[in-house]
Amino acid sequence: MPTVATTVSPPVPDTAPAVSGRAGARPRRSSATLAALPLLVFVTVFFGLPMVAVGIGAVTVTDRATDTTTLTAANLSRSVQGAYLDALTSSIKLSLITAALGVVLGTLLAQAVVASRLPGLRNLVVTASGVLANFGGVPLAFAFIATLGISGVMTELLHLTEAGWSLYTPAGLAVVYLYFLIPLMVLVIAPALDGLRPQWREAAANCGATGWQFWRLIGLPVLGPSLLGGFVLLFGTAFAAYATAAAMVGSVLPLVTLQIADALSGNVLIGQEGVASALALDMVIVAGLVMAIYLPLQRRSARWLR
Amino acid sequence: MTITQTKPGAGVEFRALRRTFGSTVALDGLDLTVAPGELLALLGPSGCGKTTALRMVAGFDHPDSGQVLVDGVDIVGVPANKRDAGMVFQSYSLFPNLSARDNVAFGPRIRKVDAATRRARADELLAMVGLPTQGDRFPHQLSGGQQQRVALARALALQPRVLLLDEPLSALDAQVRLTLREEISRLQKNLGITTIFVTHDQEEALSMADRVAVLRDGRLEQCATPIELYHHPATAFVAEFVGTMNRIPGRLTGSGRVEVAGQQMPVIGDVPTQTAVDVLIRPEDVRVSADVDGPARVVTVSFLGPTTRLFVELPDGIGIKADLATRQASGLGPGAAVRVELAEHPVMVSASR
Amino acid sequence: MAALTRRTRVWHGLVLAVFGLYFAAPLVASFVFTVDVPGQGLTGQAYADILGAPGFTDGLGLSLLLAVATIVLVLALVVPAMVAVRLRPGRLGTVVEVLCTLPLVVPPIAFVAGIGSILQLGPERLSDTPLYQTFLAVQDERFPVALVLSYTVLALPFVFRSLDSGLRAIDVPTLTEAARNCGASWWQVLVRVLLPNLRSSLAGAAFLTLALVLGEYTIARILTFETFPVWIVKVSGSEARLSVAVSLLSLLITWLLLLALSSAGTRAKTASEE
């Protein structure tokens, strides 16, 4: 299951006062570092080393006969060619489409809930979203197989196969992904929708603006960072998803996560670890770009919607 | 300043306005007339309907029945974005994605005024409200007081004929509130724009307004100048709501007089049917003098600068507040024995509670 | 407040109904799938079979064991670091935040590619050094420490966010000064004052980690350890109904746990706001 999907809480004002100049009860700087040291070491070793290994694996090749390791661009260039390129592009395409759908549908749902002005309903939906957005994976895949798979309950009930439906297509996968992407979007956008003050709408009307002018000049620009941030977060989540796809479609669909898994498990030719590392590096680069867009946007919208 | 109101202020009239929210009655037949160019404060406790009335002028709320007339024309059916009334909200109403200048220029932009003209107009208005150099700042970079100044400039940008202020100072610090209060009054006088100002702060209403309308439960209790309101309240409610008031038990003696604290006073205003009543007396109309044989005792003394407020207990256990010039209060500490006299004005009475 | 028009009400109702259907359908349909067997009518056999299914207790037991170990390790690492950072704001705080957020950028499949390469170093390069024994030990299939370490990394962002919001809600410097002023040692400050005040966010972090470990498939599958999710996928080939029944149960149990947790969190929050 993708771990990019973290619970997004509304911006909390930092209540801790500035403490500069209060030396009395504070630990010395060295002991603060000491308390944080185990964490720093742990992350460096158990997260840093694997990442370094991915980097090295992506740009080197080891000849087993002579046991020599040489620098090469072959892995990286293979990872963006042929079947691998197809997998990468179809992963990106699927993620873009599901993220776009998730943004629209999630915003729609959140708007309906926020505008209903029923606090009970709002709490229920936000809580359920927090749960649905974070955890699905294998069990979710099987629930959908039982529902919309070849002999799934809904498939047989509504004769979907005759209508051309198959769960084991990009469209089928998108339906499953949306099950956790829509709630994720609700979590991102609900605080932003709450932050849209009724005064802004009234002030705009007071200045002569129509409803459409309000949304074009004020509403959407204010929601903009949150919408874009949500899109980016949804994209990253869909892009990283492996368990759902693996449990559902095996290796039928070309997705980059499935390709990496195959390469790592030796399902294909020996000596694919280099390509696996290169593909992994490709993914980290894409996900890293995505986060680099997301974080500043989130900060900006938090400031506006305080 | 080069800004002048090119359009004269409009007269506003509420006629038999009624508005209910579910089972609560917000406006219960409100009748009120605001003269052109006047600053009128709508004063009352929360839930008295004052904000509802204001929002009806702006078009954000609609009466169940009754009329809102601007210059004699009923505007109830006119949509909010076609009305000629600028509004300043309580707080947080600036568009967060626009700079102060763009906030002020928003109305002209909607009206398709060209960019250079609206920019010049916005800068002029910002200078007028005392923010000549803050045009490029965004709302989150401005203090609460500065934000309300920008909101005021924005409300004036379309040269409306009516200015609506919905508790614009209530979210601000005391000091900022005082300065902004004076500036709003000054601006309003200069521009001559008809202004309706909603507040629950009587001091604000009394100090700023030409006339104050006191509302209670969706009805008008009294509309008068601040001085009139303070000295000649029409009802016991107004008397007690405006300024500080003592309630001292007394007894109606017939022929329009009441006996209270050993004195006989003439009564004005409505008289309840029962003889046991409360007499309403302002603290400055209570005279306290040191007297070792005096029947009353000083309980607490609060120094307020030019005046000093004493809390005095009468022999029968009734507590009353008295305001004295500070010089006259010297030597009257807690526990001092005093004599209490009431100024010989006609007084209002109210059913005792 | 302007009243909502009837049309918007109908529109909202419609939107909510459609979404409600979408989110309920897989759960209801899965349940029907497990109890409605063609030719046999309604039967609860799939659920009865779960406990006796070969590998079920082993898989679930392993996942639970990993979860407990991960929770202990991640809290032991993060709590002291975050408390120290609160007491001594500065660059260290940024470092801790970045380190704890970084795993979000790396998809688990990319992470496990790196872990795989490292673990291969053992047999390939280090077979005649004492380190080799360590490499074997962390891959012991009864208690794969390699998974605990990986899951701790994956859990860092969740635990960080949960504790961060908990720490924001209390004024750590003032609480600490008050406790020090009353004569408490640093240890007592942590155990007697700070941790009790962080109880709900600690519980939150623990629950999120539990759910994460119980559901994690990618890393366990690639490193070939038979945890609970890996077992479900394995058994699905031969026992479709059983695998759906287990999936449904595990989804419901996880969701109920998290739901209970977050509603307890909301209650605690409203109580403190009053």
Side-chain angles (χ1 to χ4, degrees):
Chain A
M1 190 58 204
T3 53
V4 189
T6 54
T7 313
V8 179
S9 48
V12 184
D14 195 339
T15 49
V19 289
S20 55
R22 290 207 273 169
R26 289 192 296 164
R28 282 185 300 277
R29 189 165 294 279
S30 59
S31 45
T33 313
L34 200 66
L37 198 62
L39 179 69
L40 306 187
V41 171
F42 180 89
V43 175
T44 312
V45 173
F46 296 107
F47 182 65
L49 284 187
M51 286 301 101
V52 170
V54 166
I56 292 175
V59 297
T60 59
V61 65
T62 303
D63 187 331
R64 277 164 207 275
T66 57
D67 197 24
T68 50
T69 302
T70 45
L71 266 179
T72 174
N75 294 330
L76 278 174
S77 68
R78 271 179 71 193
S79 78
V80 289
Q81 280 173 21
Y84 295 124
L85 181 65
D86 289 348
L88 201 59
T89 48
S90 67
S91 266
I92 291 178
K93 213 190 292 174
L94 178 69
S95 308
L96 283 176
I97 292 170
T98 51
L101 283 172
V103 166
V104 173
L105 296 173
T107 307
L108 209 62
L109 175 58
Q111 166 67 19
V113 170
V114 169
S116 73
R117 306 214 188 110
L118 301 170
L121 178 70
R122 193 210 131 84
N123 276 350
L124 179 78
V125 171
V126 169
T127 307
S129 295
V131 172
L132 289 169
N134 282 313
F135 304 96
V138 171
L140 184 64
F142 283 118
F144 266 97
I145 289 172
T147 309
L148 288 167
I150 291 169
S151 56
V153 172
M154 298 271 279
T155 318
E156 296 190 339
L157 195 70
L158 304 172
H159 305 289
L160 291 175
T161 312
E162 288 83 343
W165 167 259
S166 167
L167 184 63
Y168 311 107
T169 57
L173 209 51
V175 170
V176 183
Y177 278 16
L178 285 174
Y179 203 81
F180 52 79
L181 293 179
I182 291 173
L184 182 58
M185 191 61 201
V186 170
L187 290 183
V188 174
I189 205 71
L193 288 170
D194 286 338
L196 274 189
R197 297 177 185 277
Q199 291 98 303
W200 295 340
R201 222 185 168 130
E202 293 181 350
N206 191 244
C207 291
T210 60
W212 162 242
Q213 282 171 322
F214 164 74
W215 280 108
R216 187 166 60 85
L217 298 172
I218 311 295
L220 283 177
V222 170
L223 286 183
S226 301
L227 288 172
L228 202 54
F231 176 78
V232 160
L233 193 62
L234 264 56
F235 173 85
T237 307
F239 188 60
Y242 167 71
T244 317
M248 258 177 57
V249 298
S251 313
V252 179
L253 286 180
L255 289 178
V256 67
T257 46
L258 300 175
Q259 296 271 13
I260 296 176
D262 278 350
L264 286 173
S265 323
N267 283 355
V268 279
L269 299 169
I270 304 291
Q272 295 286 324
E273 296 92 345
V275 176
S277 296
L279 283 170
L281 190 62
D282 294 344
M283 285 196 81
V284 172
I285 290 169
V286 174
L289 284 177
V290 150
M291 276 293 158
I293 302 172
Y294 171 65
L295 291 176
L297 283 179
Q298 219 211 356
R299 229 166 279 147
R300 185 157 164 199
S301 79
R303 204 173 54 204
W304 276 355
L305 296 170
R306 221 170 1 188
Chain B
M1 276 308 112
T2 56
I3 297 232
T4 45
Q5 188 75 6
T6 51
K7 299 190 239 174
V12 178
E13 190 181 348
F14 299 103
R15 257 190 217 160
L17 273 191
R18 210 184 137 73
R19 175 76 165 107
T20 51
F21 296 103
S23 60
T24 34
V25 181
L27 289 176
D28 188 12
L30 175 69
D31 288 298
L32 181 64
T33 306
V34 189
E38 173 179 51
L39 199 170
L40 180 115
L42 287 178
L43 177 69
S46 61
C48 72
K50 55 192 191 297
T51 295
T52 308
L54 189 80
R55 291 168 60 82
M56 281 179 181
V57 182
F60 301 139
D61 210 328
H62 303 280
D64 298 337
S65 61
Q67 293 175 304
V68 181
L69 307 170
V70 173
D71 273 350
V73 181
D74 187 2
I75 57 162
V76 165
V78 179
N81 58 340
K82 302 267 188 269
R83 295 197 185 187
D84 199 9
M87 178 145 169
V88 177
F89 296 79
Q90 194 165 353
S91 58
Y92 304 120
S93 72
L94 294 186
F95 307 127
N97 58 324
L98 301 181
S99 67
R101 178 181 300 112
D102 289 344
N103 262 283
V104 178
F106 184 82
R109 182 175 168 192
I110 296 291
R111 296 276 159 91
K112 306 257 187 293
V113 174
D114 70 276
T117 312
R118 66 185 192 230
R119 188 189 160 97
R121 169 107 185 122
D123 283 341
E124 212 176 343
L125 281 159
L126 283 172
M128 188 178 76
V129 297
L131 300 172
T133 60
Q134 323 279 320
D136 294 322
R137 299 269 184 99
F138 280 84
H140 66 91
Q141 295 166 320
L142 297 171
S143 70
Q146 290 173 329
Q147 289 187 28
Q148 289 305 75
R149 285 165 192 266
V150 176
L152 184 63
R154 184 178 64 185
L156 292 171
L158 289 176
Q159 302 193 335
R161 304 190 55 203
V162 182
L163 179 63
L164 306 171
L165 306 172
D166 183 10
E167 308 218 15
L169 307 177
S170 63
L172 304 177
D173 296 340
Q175 198 58 46
V176 182
R177 201 149 57 200
L178 282 181
T179 29
L180 210 46
R181 204 197 258 179
E182 284 159 17
E183 286 188 40
I184 291 177
S185 304
R186 183 178 54 78
L187 256 175
Q188 192 269 337
K189 293 282 174 297
N190 287 348
L191 297 176
I193 183 171
T194 309
T195 302
I196 307 179
F197 181 34
V198 162
T199 181
H200 63 266
D201 181 339
Q202 42 146 317
E203 199 185 309
E204 215 165 86
L206 295 180
S207 66
M208 291 174 72
D210 296 319
R211 285 192 306 151
V212 178
V214 180
L215 266 59
R216 177 200 194 187
D217 297 337
R219 289 173 155 278
L220 182 66
E221 285 277 313
Q222 184 176 10
C223 182
T225 65
I227 292 176
E228 178 83 7
L229 207 65
Y230 190 81
H231 290 298
H232 304 291
T235 64
F237 174 80
V238 174
E240 284 193 279
F241 190 76
V242 177
T244 311
M245 197 58 95
N246 284 305
R247 266 178 176 266
I248 310 172
R251 213 166 49 81
L252 288 174
T253 57
S255 68
R257 297 184 79 78
V258 65
E259 188 187 315
V260 58
Q263 286 176 256
Q264 289 269 341
M265 323 264 276
V267 173
I268 51 162
D270 294 340
V271 176
T273 46
Q274 66 267 46
T275 42
V277 291
D278 281 347
V279 181
L280 303 178
I281 296 190
R282 297 221 181 265
E284 63 265 32
D285 289 337
V286 179
R287 295 190 186 126
V288 178
S289 47
D291 183 344
V292 282
D293 299 325
R297 292 281 177 279
V298 175
V299 181
T300 59
V301 179
S302 317
F303 172 62
L304 303 173
T307 63
T308 295
R309 174 163 295 178
L310 304 180
F311 190 78
V312 179
E313 199 174 278
L314 299 180
D316 43 4
I318 307 292
I320 57 174
K321 294 175 209 121
D323 285 353
L324 273 67
T326 292
R327 279 198 194 82
Q328 286 159 17
S330 63
L332 294 179
V338 289
R339 175 169 302 282
V340 172
E341 261 180 301
L342 306 177
E344 288 283 345
H345 295 309
V347 293
M348 294 195 77
V349 297
S350 145
S352 58
R353 52 172 188 221
Chain C
M1 273 310 129
L4 295 176
T5 63
R6 237 177 91 135
R7 221 178 59 192
T8 30
R9 268 182 206 285
V10 170
W11 166 242
H12 290 161
L14 198 71
V15 168
L16 292 174
V18 169
F19 278 104
L21 214 60
Y22 171 63
F23 285 104
L27 304 178
V28 175
S30 302
F31 182 71
V32 172
F33 181 82
T34 54
V35 295
D36 182 19
V37 182
Q40 290 180 32
L42 292 181
T43 166
Q45 195 57 41
Y47 292 91
D49 287 345
I50 291 177
L51 273 181
F56 169 75
T57 41
D58 291 347
L60 187 59
L62 178 60
S63 280
L64 285 174
L65 183 66
L66 290 170
V68 172
T70 306
I71 290 169
V72 171
L73 179 60
V74 77
L75 290 182
L77 288 171
V78 177
V79 171
M82 288 191 67
V83 169
V85 159
R86 280 278 150 177
L87 290 170
R88 263 282 180 193
R91 251 210 331 250
L92 192 63
T94 322
V95 173
V96 167
E97 179 172 0
V98 167
L99 285 185
C100 286
T101 319
L102 220 47
L104 280 185
V105 182
V106 178
I109 190 77
F111 180 45
V112 75
I115 299 170
S117 328
I118 299 260
L119 289 178
Q120 268 185 7
L121 283 179
E124 283 177 7
R125 298 288 156 87
L126 308 165
S127 50
D128 39 3
T129 66
L131 261 180
Y132 184 48
Q133 292 307 317
T134 318
F135 271 76
L136 287 187
V138 299
Q139 296 182 76
D140 182 346
E141 64 182 48
R142 280 164 303 168
F143 182 59
V145 176
L147 282 188
V148 175
L149 300 174
S150 313
Y151 292 172
T152 303
V153 171
L154 293 190
L156 281 177
F158 294 85
V159 173
F160 177 83
R161 293 235 184 167
S162 181
L163 286 178
D164 190 49
S165 62
L167 284 165
R168 275 166 197 267
I170 62 174
D171 182 353
V172 177
T174 304
L175 272 183
T176 307
E177 283 172 7
R180 292 288 283 172
N181 187 247
C182 295
S185 69
W186 281 111
W187 177 248
Q188 285 170 322
V189 170
L190 187 66
V191 174
R192 294 273 176 81
V193 179
L194 294 180
L195 291 189
N197 277 300
L198 289 174
R199 211 163 30 206
S200 74
S201 66
L202 285 171
F207 270 118
L208 288 173
T209 309
L210 176 74
L212 175 99
V213 175
L214 286 185
E216 205 291 324
Y217 174 71
T218 312
I219 295 178
R221 146 90 219 288
I222 301 292
L223 299 183
T224 63
F225 294 108
E226 197 167 310
T227 58
F228 185 53
V230 176
W231 174 79
I232 298 182
V233 175
K234 198 180 92 178
V235 84
S236 70
S238 52
E239 305 262 1
R241 240 163 271 284
L242 178 72
S243 69
V244 173
V246 176
S247 295
L248 195 57
L249 276 184
S250 73
L251 275 183
L252 290 181
I253 290 170
T254 324
W255 289 349
L256 283 180
L257 273 180
L258 290 165
L259 216 57
L261 168 75
S262 63
S263 59
T266 348
R267 256 204 308 282
K269 214 197 249 162
T270 36
S272 69
E273 275 165 6
E274 272 162 13

